[in-house]
Amino acid sequence: MEQIKRPLGRPPQDSKKKPTKTTIIENAIQLFLQNGYQLVSMDDVAKKCGVTKATVYYYYPTKADLFTDAMVQMMLRISDRIADILSTDKSLKENLNDMVKVHLRATFEIDLKAFTKEAKVSLSDEQLQQMNSVEEMMYNVIEKAMTTAIEIGEIPNGNPKFYTQLFLAILSVGNYRDTDQNSIFATIDEMAEHIIDFFWNGIMGNK
């Protein structure tokens, strides 16, 4: 039987292992989050994946391409996780509290503002648009939960997009660190409780 040939230049693939592209993305996400955009090289990614630099370049011609896809894939996973949390039988307030704690634990050691600002100057308009589109999908998941809560009378009638952006703005306070890298509150649970209470009291008003 004639042997099926791989496309010219394609790195060899072991069917028993995770796809090479998936391995590259997962390790790239970790490296970018740990070290920032500028300090991570394609060679760093290759070494962490246990592949050649040529293999990384086969899938991603530039570091900006790799970073863009890494962030897109990360945000898609976050969207799925958010959807899972917000689709439980708990109340919206309980689900949002769970979501805040998951977010804060995942981003505890990351300076999100600096991380995002550093990377954006190196990306093309098209790459930024890719990331913005997926980011909007994450917002839509939360907005859908707000809309449902309005429809069933769990929260007052209002603009669900405004509620969503208000929630995200308050959530960002949880990533604040002073010059000694200390958070506002001692624990993530305490921080989450204050974020949710502030948001909830704000939208519920006198209800």
Side-chain angles (χ1 to χ4, degrees), residues 11 14 19 40 45 55 59 65-66 74 81 84 91 107 115 130-131 148-149 152 167 182 185 187 189 191-192 194 204:
D14 186 340
V40 175
V45 176
T55 298
Y59 292 103
D65 291 325
L66 174 58
M74 181 184 74
R81 181 70 177 120
D84 288 341
S91 67
T107 59
F115 173 77
Q130 280 182 263
M131 291 174 57
T148 300
I152 65 176
F167 171 71
N182 294 316
F185 297 102
T187 68
D189 286 352
M191 186 77 231
H194 279 81
M204 297 303 285

Side-chain angles (χ1 to χ4, degrees), residues 65-161:
D65 291 325
L66 174 58
F67 178 84
T68 300
D69 196 28
M71 294 303 102
V72 165
Q73 295 305 317
M74 181 184 74
M75 286 188 283
L76 287 173
R77 294 174 191 177
I78 292 173
S79 293
D80 289 342
R81 181 70 177 120
I82 290 173
D84 288 341
I85 292 172
L86 296 179
S87 63
T88 71
D89 293 332
K90 296 180 182 179
S91 67
L92 176 65
K93 186 176 182 180
E94 291 174 307
N95 284 335
L96 289 177
N97 186 64
D98 289 342
M99 178 185 153
V100 169
K101 286 190 284 188
V102 168
H103 168 80
L104 294 180
R105 290 191 180 106
T107 59
F108 184 76
E109 297 181 350
I110 302 170
D111 185 344
L112 290 177
K113 287 185 178 180
F115 173 77
T116 305
K117 183 178 180 180
E118 175 194 32
K120 283 186 174 180
V121 298
S122 302
L123 304 181
S124 68
D125 289 343
E126 183 179 353
Q127 289 166 336
L128 289 172
Q129 182 57 43
Q130 280 182 263
M131 291 174 57
N132 290 338
S133 296
V134 179
E135 189 174 25
E136 191 65 28
M137 287 175 56
M138 293 186 349
Y139 298 160
N140 290 341
V141 172
I142 302 172
E143 187 177 330
K144 183 179 178 181
M146 297 289 184
T147 300
T148 300
I150 290 171
E151 291 172 349
I152 65 176
E154 189 174 1
I155 58 177
N157 189 32
N159 188 317
K161 189 177 291 294

Side-chain angles (χ1 to χ4, degrees), residues 26-40 48 67 71 74 106 109-111 115 118:
E26 289 180 350
N27 283 286
I29 290 172
Q30 185 178 348
L31 286 172
F32 283 130
L33 289 177
Q34 286 176 343
N35 305 307
Y37 179 82
Q38 298 297 341
L39 294 180
V40 175
K48 188 167 181 62
F67 178 84
M71 294 303 102
M74 181 184 74
E109 297 181 350
I110 302 170
D111 185 344
F115 173 77
E118 175 194 32

Side-chain angles (χ1 to χ4, degrees), residues 5-20:
K5 296 181 180 180
R6 291 185 290 106
L8 184 63
R10 184 179 178 85
Q13 198 75 253
D14 186 340
S15 61
K16 295 181 181 180
K17 293 183 178 180
K18 188 180 297 184
T20 302

Side-chain angles (χ1 to χ4, degrees), residues 144-179:
K144 183 179 178 181
M146 297 289 184
T147 300
T148 300
I150 290 171
E151 291 172 349
I152 65 176
E154 189 174 1
I155 58 177
N157 189 32
N159 188 317
K161 189 177 291 294
F162 173 73
Y163 285 167
T164 299
Q165 293 304 315
L166 177 64
F167 171 71
L168 292 170
I170 299 171
L171 175 60
S172 68
V173 177
N175 293 112
Y176 169 82
R177 298 291 181 273
D178 63 20
T179 54

